[in-house]
Amino acid sequence: MKELSLGREMVSEFMGTMVLIIFGAGNVAMTVLFGKGLNITWDNITFGWGLAVLLGIMAGLPSGAHINPAVTVALAATGRFPWKKVLPYSVAQVAGGFAGAAIVFIDFHAKWVGVDPQLASTAGIFCTFPAITTSYLPGFIDQIIGTAVLMFGILAIGDFAGKNNIGWIGGILVALLVVAIGMSLGAMHGYAINPARDFGPRFFALVAGFTQPNLMEPGIVLVPIVGPLVGGPLGAFIYDWTTGAVHKAQSA
């Protein structure tokens, strides 16, 4: 198969992350704007984000479907991906998150301005906010753990699928992994576990004129960026030291 140029890889990452946000943030918009009438629950949110991940992976497959700077950095930190591509991939991912949020806002705009005409309380459709508001530390710890679990799971799924020659199942299992993380760890900080998933839409909310007071509060902005960038490599290193080492030993 012909190797893609970096520009085409960036387009792939942009599209994958945009699709992720269209379906993920769109799912949250359905909950916030129509939730009472549709009887939408947390299960809908978690399964919706899982499907969003699956569709994002399909859209971003030509570039490896990282659709997450934490995944890109983790792969680079463990020698699976070139460092020179980390910044271009991350820029494309954040831009895709911004574009996806814009599409969701355009789609729901008429209902949105009816529910929240001042755009003062619905930025959470786009980005995450902490459950504990007296300290940033709980959310930071949560993002490290959640992203470490995500990255460990991604690598485990990749080795499992490769070992059994069922690569097609990888995207499905990663989507289910995200569902499980949402159901098990999601409430502490909205399980961003992806800097592009949070900052791209958050920046769109700022540009679009959302007035929620804590939208750009430094700690709230940085937790879902820094936490995943710590947690992703941590999960990858733990995998390589444990389960991954066993896989290598069996293959030797």
Side-chain angles (χ1 to χ4, degrees), residues 43 50 55 60 96 117 189:
D43 289 347
L55 295 169
H189 209 289

Side-chain angles (χ1 to χ4, degrees), residues 32-59:
V32 173
L33 303 178
F34 297 92
K36 292 182 180 179
L38 297 178
N39 193 31
I40 294 175
T41 66
W42 183 250
D43 289 347
N44 296 82
I45 295 287
T46 55
F47 276 104
W49 273 108
L51 290 171
V53 167
L54 176 60
L55 295 169
I57 289 171
M58 297 299 102

Side-chain angles (χ1 to χ4, degrees), residues 157-198:
I157 289 166
D159 277 348
F160 170 79
K163 186 176 181 179
N164 293 281
N165 296 313
I166 49 173
W168 59 269
I169 204 172
I172 297 171
L173 294 179
V174 171
L176 290 174
L177 171 63
V178 172
V179 172
I181 291 171
M183 287 185 167
S184 304
L185 304 170
M188 281 296 289
H189 209 289
Y191 71 111
I193 56 177
N194 179 343
R197 167 264 176 275
D198 192 84

Side-chain angles (χ1 to χ4, degrees), residues 5-240:
S5 67
L6 179 58
R8 290 186 180 274
E9 288 177 326
M10 290 176 68
V11 169
S12 175
E13 287 297 311
F14 174 90
M15 294 302 296
T17 313
M18 183 180 74
V19 169
L20 167 68
I21 299 303
I22 288 173
F23 288 102
N27 171 45
V28 181
M30 289 282 288
T31 303
V32 173
L33 303 178
F34 297 92
K36 292 182 180 179
L38 297 178
N39 193 31
I40 294 175
T41 66
W42 183 250
D43 289 347
N44 296 82
I45 295 287
T46 55
F47 276 104
W49 273 108
L51 290 171
V53 167
L54 176 60
L55 295 169
I57 289 171
M58 297 299 102
L61 206 55
S63 59
H66 297 187
I67 60 175
N68 182 343
V71 171
T72 302
V73 169
L75 293 175
T78 54
R80 294 176 169 91
F81 188 74
W83 276 106
K84 65 181 181 181
K85 291 186 178 181
V86 169
L87 182 58
Y89 264 53
S90 299
V91 169
Q93 291 154 0
V94 172
F98 183 98
I103 291 170
V104 170
F105 188 62
I106 291 169
D107 188 270
F108 287 97
H109 184 265
K111 179 67 174 179
W112 213 309
V113 295
V115 172
D116 183 19
Q118 304 301 317
L119 303 180
S121 61
T122 51
I125 288 173
F126 294 126
C127 49
T128 63
F129 293 91
I132 307 299
T133 58
T134 55
S135 171
Y136 300 128
L137 184 59
F140 182 65
I141 292 171
D142 168 74
Q143 288 300 292
I144 291 174
I145 292 173
T147 315
V149 170
L150 173 69
M151 198 64 225
F152 186 101
I154 288 172
L155 295 177
I157 289 166
D159 277 348
F160 170 79
K163 186 176 181 179
N164 293 281
N165 296 313
I166 49 173
W168 59 269
I169 204 172
I172 297 171
L173 294 179
V174 171
L176 290 174
L177 171 63
V178 172
V179 172
I181 291 171
M183 287 185 167
S184 304
L185 304 170
M188 281 296 289
H189 209 289
Y191 71 111
I193 56 177
N194 179 343
R197 167 264 176 275
D198 192 84
F199 184 71
R202 187 184 299 274
F203 186 57
F204 169 77
L206 176 68
V207 172
F210 279 72
T211 60
Q212 195 159 319
N214 56 353
L215 175 64
M216 299 303 292
E217 186 175 322
I220 292 176
V221 173
L222 289 174
V223 162
I225 295 175
V226 179
L229 291 176
V230 173
L234 177 62
F237 283 126
I238 291 173
Y239 178 80
D240 284 347

